[in-house]
Each structure stands twice: as structure tokens, then as C-alpha cells.
């Protein structure tokens, strides 16, 4: 796939600085600083067991979790609420087989962006259809984006029309995904949070 390239002799600005998770960027003005998140309390063995259970089965009932970690339902409920309030648990969701869900084309897209434009770029990337993961990274590029689209035509449109039209994007490189294996938490991998 043809990607936006850099002109000969063009120097890329240094990578932008990281933004704390949860910042609410604005294209018109610098993003306000996010509300201070209290530091997470240390996790004990029961907290780690609860996280393992919920990572494997986010639909597990409080009763089931309590029984499996050998605490009362009230204790399990309080611990889960604390993990959510502390930002350890960021949400609950389903792991989706994107191909079976009609998203047959997947790609990792690397982006080089203008220095200090991370918040603006992140806001625009979050609005893209099929964007599932965005990371500010170090190395030869600045941003790593994972997208799932119905087919290669939609992927081409996303890259060439939507992403490359973002003024702060200097260049992109598209890496097609031929096959994926979800390495999400499993009961047979007990060291997930050890």
C-alpha cells in the first residue's frame, strides 16, 4: 500500500512527549490537564486473583468471584469497586473475533507526527472507524495504530484519505495483518499478574 513518504532531506522532529492516560485533548487549544488520579493502592494476592478472574471472564458474578477467592460477597464487591476507582480496572468488555464480526482486514499503521502534536493526533485517531488501539511509542516512528476494517478497499480509504489528511501526520507505513492470535489472559497462565 502506498503510504505518505517524507521528502528527501527532511528531518523528523523529535518524538512528542507522553500524555497521561485519560487526557481530553482539543484541536483548538492545548488539552486541559486530566483530573488527578489517586495513586493506586498496592495489590495483594486476593486483588491479583480477582483481576485474573475478571480478565478471563469479565461477566463473572460477584458471588462467583467471592467464592473463587474465598472472601465474602461484600468484600469482593468492595475490592472490585476499589480496583475500578483506582483505575486498575479501566472497564469491562468483550474480546471480539474481528473477521467473524465483518472486519476482515486488519493492519498496524505506524505514524510519524509533528512534535508536540500527540494530543491532537490522538483525538483524531480515536474518531476513526475501526481503530482499536493507539499507542505513543519510541523508536523510528511515533504512533502505532491498530485498525480493523471490512476489507482492503476500506483500509485503503482509511489510510490514504482519513489518516494522511491529518495535518500533523508526516508519514505512515501500513503493515497488513495476515493472521492474529489473541493472547488474552487464560486460566492456564497463572503468572499474568504475579
Amino acid at each position: 500500500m502506498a503510504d505518505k513518504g517524507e521528502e528527501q532531506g527532511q528531518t523528523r522532529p523529535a518524538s512528542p512527549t507522553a500524555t497521561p492516560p485519560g487526557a481530553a485533548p482539543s484541536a483548538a487549544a492545548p488539552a486541559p490537564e486530566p483530573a488527578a488520579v489517586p495513586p493506586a493502592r498496592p495489590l495483594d494476592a486476593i486483588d491479583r486473583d480477582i483481576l485474573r478472574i475478571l480478565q478471563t471472564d469479565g461477566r463473572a458474578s460477584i458471588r462467583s468471584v467471592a467464592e473463587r477467592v474465598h472472601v465474602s460477597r461484600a468484600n469482593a464487591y468492595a475490592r472490585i469497586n476499589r480496583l475500578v476507582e483506582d483505575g486498575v480496572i479501566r472497564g469491562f468488555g468483550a474480546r471480539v473475533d474481528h473477521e467473524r464480526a465483518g472486519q476482515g482486514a486488519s493492519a498496524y499503521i505506524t505514524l510519524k507526527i509533528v512534535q508536540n502534536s500527540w494530543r491532537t493526533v490522538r483525538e483524531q485517531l480515536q474518531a476513526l472507524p475501526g481503530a482499536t488501539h493507539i499507542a505513543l511509542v519510541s523508536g523510528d516512528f511515533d504512533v502505532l495504530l491498530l485498525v480493523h476494517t471490512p476489507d482492503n478497499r476500506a483500509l485503503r480509504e482509511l489510510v490514504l484519505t482519513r489518516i494522511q489528511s491529518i495535518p500533523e501526520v508526516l508519514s505512515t507505513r501500513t503493515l497488513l495483518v495476515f493472521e492474529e492470535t489473541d493472547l488474552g489472559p487464560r486460566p492456564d497462565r497463572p503468572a499474568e499478574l504475579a
Side-chain angles (χ1 to χ4, degrees):
M1 182 175 293
D3 287 348
K4 187 191 247 183
E6 293 178 281
E7 296 177 16
Q8 292 284 340
Q10 179 180 8
T11 5
R12 184 172 70 87
S15 294
T17 58
T19 302
S26 167
E33 290 301 315
V37 176
R41 292 165 266 206
L43 302 182
D44 63 16
I46 293 171
D47 293 327
R48 287 190 292 275
D49 287 344
I50 289 171
L51 288 173
R52 280 190 202 99
I53 291 166
L54 293 177
Q55 283 182 299
T56 304
D57 180 8
R59 295 174 48 169
S61 68
I62 298 289
R63 180 180 180 174
S64 166
V65 171
E67 288 172 357
R68 291 170 64 183
V69 299
H70 311 291
V71 297
S72 70
R73 281 183 282 182
N75 189 336
Y77 182 79
R79 284 174 177 267
I80 291 169
N81 277 345
R82 188 193 79 228
L83 292 168
V84 170
E85 289 169 5
D86 285 354
V88 175
I89 295 176
R90 297 184 299 167
F92 298 87
R95 289 194 302 271
V96 175
D97 181 319
H98 294 282
E99 189 170 356
R100 293 182 63 88
Q103 302 290 306
S106 299
Y108 285 96
I109 303 168
T110 66
L111 296 86
K112 291 182 182 178
I113 62 174
V114 172
Q115 186 174 9
N116 297 322
S117 66
W118 164 240
R119 290 182 179 111
T120 302
V121 171
R122 179 182 59 193
E123 180 179 276
Q124 294 178 70
L125 295 178
Q126 287 172 329
L128 293 175
T132 58
H133 184 83
I134 304 167
L136 178 66
V137 298
S138 64
D140 294 337
F141 47 88
D142 303 308
V143 178
L144 182 63
L145 170 68
L146 174 60
V147 297
H148 301 282
T149 61
D151 52 36
N152 283 340
R153 182 181 300 265
L155 176 61
R156 178 181 183 276
E157 181 70 17
L158 184 74
V159 173
L160 298 180
T161 304
R162 300 286 299 272
I163 296 173
Q164 292 184 0
S165 69
I166 298 171
E168 296 83 5
V169 172
L170 300 173
S171 67
T172 66
R173 178 170 288 164
T174 301
L175 308 167
L176 292 176
V177 174
F178 295 127
E179 184 176 321
E180 302 181 74
T181 301
D182 184 6
L183 297 178
R186 300 185 319 237
D188 60 334
R189 289 197 299 195
E192 282 291 322
L193 295 167

